[in-house]
Amino acid sequence: MLLRQEHMEHWKRRFFTIWTGQALSFLGSGLTQFALVWWLTITTGSATVLTFATLIAILPTIVLGPFAGALADRWNRRLILILADGTVALVTLTLLMIYLFGELQVWQGYVAVLVRSIAGSFHFPTIQASISQLVPTEQLTRVSGLNQSLLGMGHIVSPPLGALLLDSFGMGAALLLDILTALIAIVPLLFTVIPQPKLAESTDVTGIANHLYHDMRDGLRYVRHWPGLLIALIMSMLINLVLSPAFALIPILVSKVLEGSAGMLAIVRMGFGIGVIMGGALLAIWGGLRNRIVTSLIGLAGVGMACALVGFSSASMIWLAVAGMFAVGFMMAFTSGPLMAVLQAVVDPGMQARVLALIGSLSSLMAPVGLLVAGPLSDLVGVRLWYFISAFICVGMSITGFFIPALMTLEQQKTAHLTGANATD
């Protein structure tokens, strides 16, 4: 405890040293992702290829999420981050060398996407669980807002900058930049301490192998025996179920409903990115309401109403789609940021990585499920219906959440769940 208090006294220097490197690496990865997708597009011209690449990128999070989270709670988190960033750099370097020799093939692009996604599956729960060890509890919402702004910046900066690099210098430049930013992310980790939660079990390799299954099971039990946390997980899954298809269907909305071009698609997407940046910046400055769950529920209602705006858009009211996507991004920052801050504040530090990975894994699983429903339904009755469905579900969940005591008092239940979580099934 004394060690953690000592770290908290200088939390800004430690946290922002790591965060700056990770932010640059995130933007570099966005450029590479754009470059790979564009290369697959011009090489194959196949929508099936792009769909398969997207599926490859999602699967590791679904399959490896709980496994990666359990390891992150046992292994040295700083080492995991170094290995994850180093793996990305190594894969990109290999891809760059193959590309320079003019022998890059589609299957190699698939392998690169897969390995990068595997590294990301370990990176996400580790960095999120580390934040609560680096940042004072009362500052978590502001930091979440800052991260939301970074996410929005990625939506705005990565595509045009990636296109500029591709047009001016070729894909090699984008790959090289990704390698450099990954290395920049590693350097601060070599000199900055990330406090590690104390574990009850052995952390040697044999111990990890023997207890990994129990760790994953304990993570699921931890959530299942905490009603407020379980409700938050279910809501996160439902949000991803409806919003993932809503984002995926934007090109169809632009081309068929708005009768727009690729330029219009870029404007709509940039509207979302700008909204996330502004919402995240406001959240970082303001910090949200005292009850962070209330902030998140209000944000969710705003996301729903913004989806309705998108649904009402038409060729004669294109501005509604742009305004709606801006509002979705703006309110999404207030939905996701405070919720992540709550999870970082209430979940036991020794359980955080596996719990966050479990939530991320199950939420990601909803994306392909939603796409399987939304695609045929939109072909049958029109794409705008899905935005109205999304609006109804988001607003409905928001209103319902205010009448669920277990959810509304989640922040006050930090220790009340321990008896149930430790109970045997």
Side-chain angles (χ1 to χ4, degrees), residues 204-242:
D204 59 83
V205 175
T206 303
I208 291 172
N210 291 335
H211 294 286
L212 187 57
Y213 167 75
H214 297 287
D215 284 350
M216 291 188 290
R217 185 188 64 182
D218 289 345
L220 181 60
R221 181 185 298 163
Y222 187 93
V223 174
R224 185 158 51 88
H225 284 288
W226 191 345
L229 192 58
L230 180 60
I231 292 168
L233 167 61
I234 294 172
M235 291 182 68
S236 178
M237 293 172 65
L238 289 175
I239 291 171
N240 221 35
L241 177 69
V242 295

Side-chain angles (χ1 to χ4, degrees), residues 141-181:
T141 302
R142 288 187 169 89
V143 169
S144 290
L146 187 64
N147 287 332
Q148 291 296 311
S149 291
L150 177 63
L151 178 64
M153 187 177 297
H155 282 280
I156 292 177
V157 172
S158 294
L161 186 55
L164 178 63
L165 285 175
L166 287 173
D167 291 340
S168 303
F169 305 103
M171 191 169 79
L175 297 177
L176 179 60
L177 184 61
D178 187 36
I179 296 170
L180 293 176
T181 54

Side-chain angles (χ1 to χ4, degrees), residues 353-372:
R354 74 193 87 170
V355 169
L356 293 176
L358 177 67
I359 293 175
S361 178
L362 293 178
S363 297
S364 296
L365 180 62
M366 293 296 100
V369 174
L371 286 168
L372 288 174

